[in-house]
Amino acid sequence: DIVMTQTPLSSPVTLGQPASFSCRSSQSLVHSDGNTYLSWLQQRPGQPPRLLIYKISNRFSGVPDRFSGSGAGTDFTLKISRVEAEDVGVYYCTQASQVPYTFGQGTKLEIK
Amino acid sequence: QLQLRESGPGLVKPSETLSLTCAVSGGSISSSSSYWGWIRQPPGKGLEWIGTIYYSGSTYYNPSLKSRVTISVDTSKDQFSLNLSSVTAADTAIYFCARLTYALGFDYWGQGTLVTVSS
């Protein structure tokens, strides 16, 4: 199984400031078709997960442009350019390049 | 807008079978680009993929659960189902159904349903 490791586990951020989350996979996520199926999910308190970013850097429909994704191979990053109150929650990276699909343990975004 | 909704008992006794159904609306479960999956989340913990099914009936299961999991699909009702046998307290979790597309990953999720395993 591909293990997804996220750091930090908790990220206190001041409103209006940037935030950055890291995700590392135990092996390359490059699929045999050449794509990298790494996505980022946001889970607000009491809500189901919501897709933010797919294939490393593509924003899903309706996702604000303050969210951006980058990376390649085994190292990936989610950035929020200016944190807003509604961004509070847990952020998960997940891979669909290889079965079983796996998730990181999540990074909790809190407001200072 | 695609919507998914889970339904089923909120309480299951140890050693029994957990059964949940996910109803899909706003789109067809027979879409050629869509797979349908179950993911669970123990209270206060992270996400675990259980398994995925295609409308044709092809399934993919997490090896850690494979011996106890069956996922099936009913295209006439636009719904798919999860059966998890021989449950224990460790199976207590919020169970989500979700759509999976190769390009996007898990892009649409149900609200989730809490299933507690207890006598």
Side-chain angles (χ1 to χ4, degrees):
Chain A
D1 298 6
I2 296 178
V3 177
M4 307 294 287
T5 303
Q6 292 186 240
T7 55
L9 294 183
S10 177
S11 178
V13 180
T14 301
L15 287 174
Q17 293 300 302
S20 180
F21 312 128
S22 176
C23 174
R24 178 168 291 178
S25 58
S26 60
Q27 56 187 275
S28 174
L29 297 186
V30 179
H31 192 271
S32 56
D33 65 8
N35 290 302
T36 300
Y37 296 109
L38 182 283
S39 57
W40 289 93
L41 307 171
Q42 176 197 60
Q43 188 174 29
R44 292 170 172 154
Q47 295 294 312
R50 164 198 178 200
L51 178 64
L52 292 178
I53 301 287
Y54 63 95
K55 286 201 296 184
I56 302 177
S57 60
N58 298 275
R59 274 188 303 275
F60 188 54
S61 174
V63 174
D65 61 8
R66 65 178 182 276
F67 290 92
S68 64
S70 63
T74 61
D75 287 286
F76 307 94
T77 301
L78 174 70
K79 292 184 179 178
I80 308 175
S81 59
R82 296 173 305 280
V83 169
E84 298 187 5
E86 67 178 17
D87 299 334
V88 165
V90 180
Y91 292 79
Y92 295 95
C93 59
T94 178
Q95 65 83 20
S97 289
Q98 182 182 116
V99 172
Y101 307 132
T102 49
F103 299 86
Q105 70 270 55
T107 294
K108 188 173 186 178
L109 174 65
E110 302 169 312
I111 303 299
K112 278 184 185 175
Chain B
Q1 173 87 356
L2 190 71
Q3 292 187 326
L4 295 87
R5 184 167 63 183
E6 306 88 351
S7 61
L11 181 64
V12 181
K13 289 183 168 56
S15 80
E16 295 190 344
T17 295
L18 178 160
S19 296
L20 296 174
T21 296
C22 181
V24 177
S25 59
S28 173
I29 204 168
S30 301
S31 165
S32 60
S33 62
S34 301
Y35 293 75
W36 307 94
W38 290 98
I39 299 100
R40 70 179 183 178
Q41 183 174 40
K45 296 189 178 180
L47 300 162
E48 179 182 33
W49 173 70
I50 299 170
T52 297
I53 191 165
Y54 194 53
Y55 76 92
S56 64
S58 297
T59 52
Y60 307 88
Y61 297 140
N62 192 324
S64 68
L65 298 168
K66 187 174 183 177
S67 63
R68 299 193 292 129
V69 171
T70 303
I71 297 176
S72 59
V73 63
D74 186 338
T75 55
S76 67
K77 295 181 179 178
D78 277 325
Q79 65 185 35
F80 60 105
S81 300
L82 167 69
N83 278 353
L84 181 65
S85 63
S86 305
V87 298
T88 69
D91 295 310
T92 293
I94 299 171
Y95 285 76
F96 297 100
C97 60
R99 185 179 79 164
L100 171 71
T101 63
Y102 261 119
L104 304 181
F106 294 103
D107 58 353
Y108 287 93
W109 293 68
Q111 285 296 310
T113 186
L114 174 63
V115 179
T116 301
V117 179
S118 175
S119 54

